[in-house]
Amino acid sequence: MSKKQYWLMKSEPDAYSIDDLKRDGQIRWSGVRNYEARNIMRDKMNVGDRAFFYHSNVKPPAIVGEMEVCTEPYPDPLQFDPDSKYFDPKSSESDPRWQLIDVKFIRKFEKPVTRDELKEHDDLLEMQLFKRNRLSITEVTEDQYKKILNLAGE
């Protein structure tokens, strides 16, 4: 079994929020249409990995909860649906272009950790979140993960 890894996964709360995940319990993390993010899900994530749920494109952006990877990667069915905004006519069932994983709700933080609060800690300034701002899934080190849990009061 591989060592547990840690991630930060972004979603705009008006599209899908931590409260939605809490209600649903488990969901497909679908609609990723960035090759680097897809490769992370396909090649690096493992069942049991933990991820922060990050609300992006809001004021203030913040880490609002925690979830767990609960499936191996598999083809995103939305790529085959012509009625979906995530439809990809260049993708086929025999050679799917887009992969996803399922995540399950672990907890919503009583105290979200804002992006500005993260920047107040020198040891968190090296986070990929700040270096790869446009990427929807980024790696988090174990030390960073523990520190952020602490900041969230967990």
Side-chain angles (χ1 to χ4, degrees), residues 69-119:
V69 175
C70 58
T71 66
E72 297 293 328
Y74 61 95
D76 184 342
L78 296 178
Q79 68 192 311
F80 309 123
D81 179 357
D83 295 329
S84 170
K85 71 178 184 176
Y86 298 111
F87 176 65
D88 185 342
K90 294 182 177 152
S91 189
S92 67
E93 304 235 5
S94 61
D95 187 19
R97 186 177 278 196
W98 303 106
Q99 300 282 313
L100 57 71
I101 45 93
D102 288 7
V103 293
K104 67 180 178 184
F105 177 82
I106 299 295
R107 66 182 136 207
K108 178 180 175 179
F109 296 151
E110 294 284 325
K111 179 186 162 313
V113 182
T114 67
R115 182 182 174 89
D116 287 342
E117 188 178 349
L118 294 171
K119 285 182 172 180

Side-chain angles (χ1 to χ4, degrees), residues 16 27 35 45-46 57 61 65-66 73 80 120 123 131-132:
Y16 197 83
I27 56 122
Y35 286 105
M45 287 183 153
N46 297 297
N57 207 20
E66 189 180 15
F80 309 123
E120 292 170 9
D123 51 343
K131 299 183 178 318
R132 305 298 313 282

